[in-house]
């Protein structure tokens, strides 16, 4: 069994929630001034983090749910590591389809960022790798599913949040269906019968999505850079601003969450683009 990571939390009143911040899809590059479809990605990430400083309390945990890098370079991961050092709490990294998982693992080896099972605040958070080298779609490999089942079997009474990069359900964007999680049925089977799973959380789709199914909260989160247009049939960028998701996980299994977007960050996206 994978030994859970238990970060130390600041003292708080009984029943207070675990404060979790999700940032996703920053698409940083080896060049700190790198631009993606009109947005300087390091600058947009900084704008989102500045908003978090103004709008939220200090988080207990940060989840970075993939596509940390656009080019898979060691420089981009070192840059993200330096930027996220502003947080006093652990920042957990997951791989996305643009990431080079091997390079990422080298950068975070031996640090809190490499943890995959977290026990804190009366909750269990399980972080999975849904990336497939050389492909845009996602798949949770058999060993990852086995890891998830082991974690769930080991903590049957602990409210659990499962986090990864690719979307496991249809979000109403036909062009994204072929690049989502291809073995979503296997994920459902692994979770079936485990009522402690209260939420699934992912990135990849560059938009907000929130639904309740089978007793679980299903959530996707805006990118810290470009946004995709909800409900689009073909690749289409959205004018909405970069953002993040905040979650409060209560010891009784309650889950409260909201998304916020920057309001003062100026950008000009390349609306005529057909991909990235």
């Amino acid at each position: 069994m994978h030994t859970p990571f238990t970060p130390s939390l600041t003292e708080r009143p009984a029943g207070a929630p675990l404060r979790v911040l999700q940032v996703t899809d920053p698409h940083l590059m080896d060049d700190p001034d790198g631009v993606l479809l009109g947005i300087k990605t390091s600058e947009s990430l900084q704008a989102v983090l500045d908003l978090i400083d103004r709008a939220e309390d200090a988080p207990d945990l940060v989840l970075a749910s993939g596509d940390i890098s656009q080019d898979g370079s060691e420089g981009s991961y070192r840059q993200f590591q330096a930027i996220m050092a502003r947080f006093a709490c652990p920042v957990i990294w997951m791989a996305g389809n643009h990431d080079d998982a091997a390079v990422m693992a080298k950068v975070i080896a031996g640090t809190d960022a490499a943890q995959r099972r977290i026990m804190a605040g009366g909750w269990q958070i399980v972080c999975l790798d849904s990336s497939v080298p050389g492909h845009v779609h996602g798949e949770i490999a058999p060993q990852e599913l086995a890891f998830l089942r082991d974690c769930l079997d080991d903590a049957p009474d602990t409210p659990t949040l499962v986090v990864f990069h690719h979307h496991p359900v249809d979000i109403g964007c036909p062009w994204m269906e072929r690049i989502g999680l291809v073995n979503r049925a296997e994920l459902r089977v692994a979770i079936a019968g485990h009522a402690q799973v209260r939420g699934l959380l992912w990135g990849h789709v560059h938009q907000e999505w929130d639904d309740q199914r089978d007793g679980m909260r299903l959530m996707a989160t805006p990118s810290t850079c470009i946004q995709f247009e909800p409900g689009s049939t073909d690749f289409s960028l959205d004018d909405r601003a970069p953002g993040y998701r905040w979650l409060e996980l209560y010891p009784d299994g309650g889950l409260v969450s909201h998304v916020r977007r920057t309001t003062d960050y100026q950008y000009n996206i390349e609306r005529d683009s057909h991909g990235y």
Side-chain angles (χ1 to χ4, degrees):
M1 168 54 58
H2 190 94
T3 302
F5 171 58
T6 306
S8 58
L9 303 178
T10 57
E11 290 188 14
R12 66 198 54 214
L18 182 73
R19 300 171 302 223
V20 178
L21 167 66
Q22 182 199 14
V23 294
T24 193
D25 298 84
H27 290 270
L28 297 180
M29 305 175 200
D30 191 48
D31 178 2
D33 294 322
V35 174
L36 179 64
L37 300 181
I39 288 187
K40 183 177 173 181
T41 58
S42 61
E43 187 177 81
S44 63
L45 173 59
Q46 188 64 54
V48 170
L49 297 179
D50 289 346
L51 171 61
I52 293 163
D53 285 346
R54 297 192 302 269
E56 311 290 358
D57 295 327
D60 298 307
L61 185 71
V62 179
L63 302 172
S65 54
D67 280 357
I68 289 167
S69 176
Q70 170 69 9
D71 57 15
S73 63
E74 182 172 342
S76 64
Y77 295 122
R78 297 292 182 192
Q79 183 186 166
F80 186 72
Q81 197 172 48
I83 291 171
M84 301 305 282
R86 66 195 290 155
F87 293 105
C89 66
V91 179
I92 310 299
W93 299 22
M94 283 151 273
N97 51 285
H98 282 271
D99 289 307
D100 185 316
V103 175
M104 191 179 90
K106 172 187 170 185
V107 170
I108 64 175
T111 73
D112 289 347
Q115 298 291 339
R116 302 182 55 225
R117 183 189 182 202
I118 301 98
M119 300 287 267
W123 276 71
Q124 172 177 233
I125 299 174
V126 181
C127 302
L128 302 176
D129 182 359
S130 65
S131 66
V132 181
H135 294 276
V136 181
H137 70 260
E139 181 175 5
I140 299 178
Q143 63 268 27
E144 291 290 293
L145 291 171
F147 168 66
L148 172 60
R149 287 191 295 267
D150 286 346
C151 291
L152 295 177
D153 289 343
D154 189 56
D157 301 316
T158 303
T160 298
L161 178 69
V162 183
V163 193
F164 40 86
H165 181 67
H166 293 80
H167 51 298
V169 294
D170 179 1
I171 63 163
C173 288
W175 72 273
M176 296 203 79
E177 272 307 280
R178 65 183 182 276
I179 62 170
L181 195 67
V182 298
N183 65 333
R184 56 188 64 175
E186 293 177 31
L187 175 63
R188 287 196 299 270
V189 169
I191 292 173
H194 294 283
Q196 77 267 38
V197 179
R198 303 300 171 85
L200 303 181
L201 179 66
W202 63 89
H204 190 51
V205 298
H206 289 237
Q207 60 192 272
E208 179 180 359
W209 200 81
D210 202 326
D211 199 7
Q212 191 85 25
R213 299 184 188 180
D214 301 322
M216 296 183 294
R217 183 93 170 260
L218 276 59
M219 297 164 285
T221 299
S223 165
T224 65
C225 61
I226 60 171
Q227 309 299 306
F228 298 153
E229 185 176 8
S232 53
T233 299
D234 300 308
F235 179 90
S236 181
L237 294 176
D238 192 26
D239 287 325
R240 278 176 249 199
Y244 68 91
R245 181 177 290 277
W246 184 263
L247 303 97
E248 295 184 346
L249 309 181
Y250 288 83
D252 64 358
L255 188 162
V256 175
S257 182
H258 63 254
V259 164
R260 285 197 172 103
R261 297 176 184 268
T262 59
T263 57
D264 55 359
Y265 174 60
Q266 301 298 314
Y267 55 95
N268 292 291
I269 61 171
E270 298 174 1
R271 289 301 301 270
D272 58 350
S273 175
H274 299 289
Y276 72 112

